[in-house]
Amino acid sequence: MEFAMGRTSKRDARLERQREYQRQYRRRLKNVGRPDRDAIAQAFFYHVITQILKDPKAGDGLKRLMDQVASLLVDLGYDPTETHYAIDAVLSRYEQGWSFQRKRL
C-alpha cells in the first residue's frame, strides 16, 4: 500500500507542476496578446459563415459544411440532436446579423 501511495504522491506533484506550467504559459500568451487555438477557430468560423451567408447561392454548401462539422462533433461524443440544435441556433443568430463576440482578454 505504501508503494501505491508514494506513486500517487509523485503523480500528484507532477500533475500540479504541469498545471502551474500551463497557467503561466496561458498568462504569458495573454500578456503578449497571442491568440490561442480557440480564438483562431472562433474568428475563422465567424469569417467563413458570414462570407457564405452573403452569397444566397451558397446555402447548400453551408448545409454540407455544417453537416460535416456536426459529424465531427458527434464523433467527439456530443449528442447528435443537441449538436444540430446548437448549430442551427448559432447560424440563426448570424443570419439575424449577430456580430462576432470577441473573448475578453
Side-chain angles (χ1 to χ4, degrees):
M1 189 71 163
E2 290 179 30
F3 175 72
M5 289 180 73
R7 178 185 277 179
T8 302
S9 178
K10 286 181 183 180
R11 181 175 182 272
D12 290 345
R14 179 179 54 81
L15 291 174
E16 183 54 38
R17 284 192 305 272
Q18 286 177 337
R19 283 190 288 270
E20 182 56 32
Y21 174 82
Q22 282 297 313
R23 280 191 289 269
Q24 290 177 6
Y25 175 74
R26 285 190 289 275
R27 198 173 304 125
R28 281 195 310 272
L29 291 181
K30 183 177 177 180
N31 287 338
V32 297
R34 180 178 295 169
D36 61 8
R37 84 181 160 141
D38 290 342
I40 294 167
Q42 288 173 333
F44 180 78
F45 179 78
Y46 173 78
H47 177 74
V48 168
I49 297 304
T50 55
Q51 293 305 306
I52 290 173
L53 288 174
K54 287 180 183 177
D55 182 4
K57 299 175 191 171
D60 290 338
L62 178 60
K63 182 179 177 351
R64 281 193 307 274
L65 175 65
M66 296 316 291
D67 285 344
Q68 291 170 350
V69 169
S71 179
L72 289 170
L73 291 168
V74 169
D75 288 348
L76 291 172
Y78 291 96
D79 179 77
T81 303
E82 293 299 322
T83 298
H84 284 285
Y85 285 146
I87 288 172
D88 289 345
V90 170
L91 290 178
S92 177
R93 287 179 179 163
Y94 281 121
E95 288 169 344
Q96 295 170 12
W98 195 42
S99 65
F100 182 66
Q101 303 292 315
R102 184 172 178 226
K103 236 165 111 176
R104 293 183 186 207
L105 296 178

